[in-house]
């Protein structure tokens, strides 16, 4: 089946630094990629929707200047957490979708655990 | 707006027993519904999805779910639990037609007791 990878799988950084997380669809071209955030023992909360070659659409309450999303190609999307703070510590998960229909399957990456000290 | 409610944040069953994880949805339009499983420190894996075809949907690992419009439910079942089924399960609904992301329930942690 379709595989989505994320890199790094975990990262620890100091407060105030920026961290970049990569999301790649390995064996398919993704029309759309989504970025989610998951706090411990909670559900996934959508942060933004990313379409190749266009600006990401952010959910209400998500700071677009803090969480920079770049969707440079049909197989790569990046999330950069700028000036990270301890409250940004979370599990970040991306997903990729092949088609543009609601019924098309979203394939999820393994997630990236970010810890900000 | 679509939403899902998962009843029970934690379900515990004995190995070999029936697994029943509950999910109710709210939608102003015919929904598309999904069940995903998440193992510790991993992403989500699709178990099955309902896309307005057959109301009884069979998925991987012996799981199935039945769409019941009258009850606005999409409960997940498995006849006999296995130790490897222990994980977090999420029910999700597509937000509306078109290219939109999923809206997830809060999840149900399944524990399997030997």
């Amino acid at each position: 089946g379709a595989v989505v990878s994320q890199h790094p799988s975990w990262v620890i950084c100091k407060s105030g630094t920026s961290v970049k997380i990569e999301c790649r669809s390995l064996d398919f071209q993704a029309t759309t990629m989504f970025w989610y955030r998951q706090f411990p023992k909670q559900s996934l909360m959508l942060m933004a929707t990313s379409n190749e070659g266009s600006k990401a659409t952010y959910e209400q309450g998500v700071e677009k200047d803090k969480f920079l999303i770049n969707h440079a190609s049909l197989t790569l999307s990046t999330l950069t957490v700028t000036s990270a703070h301890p409250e940004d510590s979370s599990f970040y998960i991306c997903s990729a979708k092949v088609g543009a229909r609601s019924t098309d399957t979203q394939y999820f990456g393994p997630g990236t655990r970010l810890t900000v000290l | 707006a679509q939403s899902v409610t998962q009843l029970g944040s934690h379900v515990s069953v004995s190995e070999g027993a029936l697994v029943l994880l509950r999910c109710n949805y709210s939608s102003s339009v015919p929904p598309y519904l999904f069940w995903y499983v998440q193992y510790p420190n991993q992403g989500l894996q699709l178990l099955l999805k309902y896309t307005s075809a057959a109301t009884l949907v069979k998925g991987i690992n012996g799981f199935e779910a039945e769409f019941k419009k009258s009850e606005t439910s999409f409960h997940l079942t498995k006849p006999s639990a296995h130790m490897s089924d222990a994980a977090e399960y999420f029910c999700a609904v597509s937000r509306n037609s078109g290219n939109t992301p999923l809206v997830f329930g809060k999840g149900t942690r399944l524990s399997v007791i030997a």
Side-chain angles (χ1 to χ4, degrees), chain A residues 76-102:
Chain A
L76 173 64
S77 176
T78 60
L79 167 68
T80 301
V81 183
T82 63
S83 187
H85 288 93
E87 58 265 30
D88 298 324
S89 298
S90 189
F91 195 51
Y92 292 87
I93 302 176
C94 72
S95 69
K97 200 174 180 183
V98 175
R101 301 171 300 178
S102 289

Side-chain angles (χ1 to χ4, degrees), chain A residues 31-32 34 36 38 41-44 46 49 51 59 91 93 97 99-111 113, chain B residues 32 34 36 38 41-46 49-51 88 90 94-107 109:
Chain A
T31 307
T32 306
F34 303 98
Y36 293 85
Q38 185 181 32
K41 298 184 179 180
Q42 294 190 29
S43 187
L44 282 73
L46 179 68
T49 301
N51 290 292
E59 294 297 296
F91 195 51
I93 302 176
K97 200 174 180 183
R101 301 171 300 178
S102 289
T103 54
D104 292 321
T105 299
Q106 281 185 236
Y107 297 96
F108 285 81
R113 185 162 300 286
Chain B
Y32 299 139
F34 306 78
Y36 281 85
Q38 184 182 33
N41 297 312
Q42 294 186 30
L44 277 68
Q45 180 181 8
L46 179 68
K49 62 181 180 180
Y50 167 75
T51 58
E88 189 85 18
F90 292 96
S94 62
R95 197 154 65 180
N96 51 44
S97 60
N99 193 20
T100 58
L102 299 171
V103 175
F104 286 87
K106 292 188 175 182
R109 180 170 299 279

Side-chain angles (χ1 to χ4, degrees), chain A residues 37-87:
Chain A
R37 185 174 181 177
Q38 185 181 32
F39 290 105
K41 298 184 179 180
Q42 294 190 29
S43 187
L44 282 73
M45 298 301 295
L46 179 68
M47 298 176 66
T49 301
S50 171
N51 290 292
E52 184 266 339
S54 61
K55 291 184 177 181
T57 302
Y58 291 82
E59 294 297 296
Q60 191 173 8
V62 177
E63 299 176 59
K64 62 180 180 181
D65 294 330
K66 180 171 184 61
F67 298 99
L68 301 178
I69 293 173
N70 186 307
H71 196 155
S73 74
L74 287 172
T75 60
L76 173 64
S77 176
T78 60
L79 167 68
T80 301
V81 183
T82 63
S83 187
H85 288 93
E87 58 265 30

Side-chain angles (χ1 to χ4, degrees), chain B residues 19-41:
Chain B
V19 175
L20 171 60
L21 305 181
R22 300 177 187 273
C23 173
N24 287 88
Y25 69 90
S26 173
S27 177
S28 57
V29 297
Y32 299 139
L33 294 158
F34 306 78
W35 274 101
Y36 281 85
V37 60
Q38 184 182 33
Y39 296 100
N41 297 312

Side-chain angles (χ1 to χ4, degrees), chain B residues 78-93:
Chain B
K78 181 175 181 177
S80 176
H82 191 273
M83 297 297 289
S84 61
D85 294 326
E88 189 85 18
Y89 291 81
F90 292 96
C91 181
V93 62

